Amino acid sequence: MQLFKKERMWRKCDLKPSYDVVIVGAGVHGLATAYYLGSRHGVRSVALLEKAYLGSGNSGRNTAIIRSNYRTPEGIPFYQASVKLYEELARELGWNMLFSQCGHLTLGHTDSAVNGLRVRAENNQVLGVDSRMIFPDEIRRLVPAMELSDRPRFPILAALYHPPGGIIRHDAVVWGYARACDRMGIEIHTFTEVTGMRVENGKVRSVLTNRGEVAAGAVVNATAGWSSSISKMAGVPLQIVSHPLQACVTEPLKPFLDKVIVSATLHVYVNQTDKGELVIGAEIDPYQSYSMKGTLPTLEQMATYTLELFPQLHGVRVLRQWAGVCDMTPDFAPIIGVAPEVENFYMDVGWGTYGFKTGPIAGKSVAELIARGETPQLIAPFSPARFKAGQLLGEKAAAAVSA
Ligand code: PYC
């Protein structure tokens, strides 16, 4: 007797000769763009091209943190809009994503770090984001297991507390969007690698792939790690450098930590999943590379800094270590909009170490830009033209692990 009906998560399709929109990269950003094109604007002749399996890029390699406690008046509303979409996403897509808004603490270990956190708290509050400074007594109540004495090299002086921040199952987000796209007839083509683009008279006419050539009315670069290579195929240079970012996961432990803990001074962030594993992330690697492998020095760093916060974890075993490739812009803010050089080439790239948390709002905004031909106010500051105009943003101080 078959207890469960076997159902494909999404269909397998032949690649058609043309689509209204071709999206390169079927991570959270590409999938969200496709989903909102279909669901909000009725644009369903859409193909998502993914060079490996779904979720193989940064969407499945991040540490699944969701938050909106950024620093700038441009960044805060954008990240806040994403948190709001994440809050409704499971209901909207009919797919459980285990979103836990368990609270997020950014630790301050020095006077200057505490001053930076104060600025963020004030900017957050002015813009309606729940975020405030807390001090050791309250930190101890929220995270009793953390080392709060003055013994460590960098004692904890204060923290920026952001109650709506938390974690979500990142692969469930990918699958939820993928299933919803599939239901609308949007096509997902995995193992379909883009190898070039045919550009004529300032427009991309077609995308070349390992499965043939596909004509497109519009092309979206929604890749992470390879965004400068893909944009270069359209003749668009990007101000991006790519660095690996490593993370690891430990064996499962009894629940002892129900907050996300971030320390920019120690370059480490830790949360405990509902399976009991600790997910630990590092600072970006100091060199540019496309490697997605873990290294021993970074593992040592993650372990050392985690033990400064939680010395009782000595002896805990690490099960897995991996890396994603982060496309860093000069101002630690993304590049979203139409390429100035190519009128139907859209970009949603340059997400550094914080792309996963903005997939929903970035996708919704890019879908609106493509369908209506007008730039939504929320993404206007992230225009690709800002570098030439000298209008850089200042998000570095809130990028957590990249400062
Ligand atoms: O910005 O929240 C963040 C983050 C976590 C890990 C890397 N970046």
Side-chain angles (χ1 to χ4, degrees):
M1 188 177 67
Q2 193 182 352
L3 286 179
F4 299 103
K5 195 168 141 245
K6 274 199 195 145
E7 194 193 334
R8 280 195 79 92
M9 295 278 276
W10 47 85
R11 290 158 304 147
K12 224 173 166 172
C13 317
D14 291 331
L15 203 54
K16 295 195 184 105
S18 81
Y19 297 89
D20 290 345
V21 183
V22 168
I23 301 176
V24 187
V28 176
H29 283 252
L31 286 161
T33 304
Y35 172 74
Y36 294 109
L37 274 170
S39 65
R40 304 296 197 269
H41 305 285
V43 179
R44 296 187 176 177
S45 163
V46 179
L48 284 145
L49 309 184
E50 170 56 51
K51 76 171 179 171
Y53 61 89
L54 219 61
S56 56
N58 286 2
S59 294
R61 292 172 179 276
N62 57 76
T63 45
I65 298 172
I66 306 291
R67 66 183 175 100
S68 61
N69 58 353
Y70 276 72
R71 181 172 183 273
T72 64
E74 297 84 5
I76 295 165
F78 185 73
Y79 287 86
Q80 176 70 346
S82 211
V83 171
K84 294 282 163 225
L85 286 175
Y86 267 122
E87 283 171 351
E88 294 303 320
L89 205 55
R91 204 182 335 246
E92 169 154 1
L93 302 182
W95 186 252
N96 189 1
M97 298 170 183
L98 301 176
F99 186 21
S100 162
Q101 292 186 285
C102 54
H104 178 286
L105 272 76
T106 313
L107 307 177
H109 306 258
T110 62
D111 289 343
S112 77
V114 171
N115 285 340
L117 296 179
R118 279 187 201 281
V119 172
R120 276 170 65 188
E122 286 177 18
N123 292 0
N124 289 171
Q125 286 161 21
V126 166
L127 292 166
V129 169
D130 185 0
S131 157
R132 62 188 168 86
M133 293 303 294
I134 59 172
F135 298 92
D137 281 350
E138 190 170 354
I139 301 175
R140 189 170 291 112
R141 276 200 298 279
L142 292 172
V143 196
M146 193 156 61
E147 170 63 272
L148 276 152
S149 75
D150 57 5
R151 277 192 302 275
R153 191 158 47 123
F154 295 107
I156 296 164
L157 306 180
L160 179 68
Y161 179 37
H162 178 42
I167 44 176
I168 195 165
R169 270 291 294 276
H170 53 198
D171 34 21
V173 176
V174 169
W175 299 335
Y177 270 127
R179 287 168 60 93
C181 286
D182 184 65
R183 284 198 294 271
M184 290 187 288
I186 288 171
E187 294 178 12
I188 299 168
H189 295 279
T190 51
F191 299 98
T192 305
E193 183 167 358
V194 172
T195 54
M197 288 186 206
R198 211 177 290 286
V199 182
E200 289 162 11
N201 302 323
K203 277 184 114 173
V204 184
R205 301 291 166 187
S206 61
V207 174
L208 314 179
T209 80
N210 59 341
R211 293 172 60 204
E213 183 167 350
V214 189
V219 175
V220 182
N221 178 0
T223 58
W226 286 268
S227 60
S228 33
S229 318
I230 296 292
S231 283
K232 203 165 158 199
M233 292 176 190
V236 178
L238 287 184
Q239 293 76 5
I240 278 179
V241 289
S242 300
H243 289 251
L245 177 67
Q246 299 186 36
C248 67
V249 66
T250 68
E251 62 186 326
L253 305 170
K254 285 193 176 159
F256 75 97
L257 176 65
D258 63 0
K259 300 279 175 280
V260 180
I261 305 295
V262 178
S263 168
T265 304
L266 300 180
H267 301 304
V268 77
Y269 36 102
V270 186
N271 68 72
Q272 188 170 25
T273 68
D274 38 20
K275 267 198 286 183
E277 300 160 333
L278 290 178
V279 179
I280 303 173
E283 157 71 310
I284 52 170
D285 285 355
Y287 42 80
Q288 292 176 38
S289 163
Y290 292 104
S291 164
M292 292 204 278
K293 293 203 174 117
T295 62
L296 190 56
T298 301
L299 183 60
E300 281 179 336
Q301 256 175 38
M302 286 190 279
T304 305
Y305 294 136
T306 302
L307 290 177
E308 290 210 15
L309 300 174
F310 299 100
Q312 66 276 45
L313 295 179
H314 67 89
V316 168
R317 282 168 293 197
V318 169
L319 297 188
R320 293 186 300 282
Q321 185 187 2
W322 66 93
V325 180
C326 299
D327 293 335
M328 315 299 299
T329 61
D331 57 359
F332 290 72
I335 301 173
I336 320 180
V338 191
E341 302 86 346
V342 184
E343 69 181 74
N344 63 343
F345 185 66
Y346 298 84
M347 295 186 291
D348 172 12
V349 297
W351 281 104
T353 61
Y354 29 85
F356 170 69
K357 53 180 73 37
T358 58
I361 190 60
K364 191 162 185 256
S365 307
V366 173
E368 191 178 326
L369 169 62
I370 296 171
R372 301 215 173 120
E374 280 169 28
T375 302
Q377 204 40 48
L378 212 48
I379 58 168
F382 308 122
S383 144
R386 75 176 183 277
F387 299 104
K388 267 201 181 140
Q391 286 163 344
L392 272 65
L393 303 167
E395 205 53 271
K396 185 170 180 178
V401 290
S402 326

